[in-house]
Amino acid sequence: MGTIRLEGMKFHAHVGTTDEERRAGSDVDVTVYYDCDTETPGISDCLEDAVDYSKIYDAVAWEMLVECNLIENIAHRILLRLRKEFAAISNIGVIVRKHYPAVAGRLECSVVEVKG
């Protein structure tokens, strides 16, 4: 058993609490990590024995197409989708970073992390 981390998936997402913010969109980074069998593919060196990163990425990318108000919503939707579609993974974590959120000041990013 090992942990896989897919760090820094980059998207332009329509997330925000105002119509203008959702319309313009924001740069959002997503990191996903999970536990899975790493020994079998580590020995066999066969993709068929591993969790295919591209399928994890595709699941995340589909969720990023959904317009929403909060990055909390993005993180929970990704977590639920990964739980449902990938029985071979457990202890899933999702980190969503929204760059330069709309606040009355300077804020580099807001970050939410969900686990389950």
Side-chain angles (χ1 to χ4, degrees), residues 39-111:
E39 184 175 359
T40 302
I43 293 169
S44 73
D45 198 28
C46 292
L47 180 59
E48 295 78 23
D49 294 332
V51 176
D52 187 340
Y53 304 163
S54 68
K55 291 180 181 175
I56 298 282
Y57 181 90
D58 289 346
V60 172
W62 272 106
E63 292 302 327
M64 296 307 298
L65 294 174
V66 178
E67 186 176 297
C68 63
N69 294 322
L70 304 171
I71 61 173
E72 291 89 332
N73 179 263
I74 294 170
H76 278 279
R77 281 188 287 106
I78 292 169
L79 178 66
L80 293 173
R81 184 176 190 135
L82 295 179
R83 273 192 205 152
K84 180 179 177 183
E85 291 186 17
F86 299 92
I89 67 175
S90 62
N91 299 322
I92 304 165
V94 178
I95 302 168
V96 177
R97 290 179 177 84
K98 179 179 177 182
H99 295 272
Y100 306 107
V103 297
R106 294 179 66 187
L107 178 60
E108 185 177 316
C109 64
S110 55
V111 181

Side-chain angles (χ1 to χ4, degrees), residues 4-9 30-34 53-54 56-57:
I4 304 287
R5 295 182 67 90
L6 305 178
E7 298 182 345
M9 292 179 261
V30 177
T31 294
V32 171
Y33 57 92
Y34 52 88
Y53 304 163
S54 68
I56 298 282
Y57 181 90

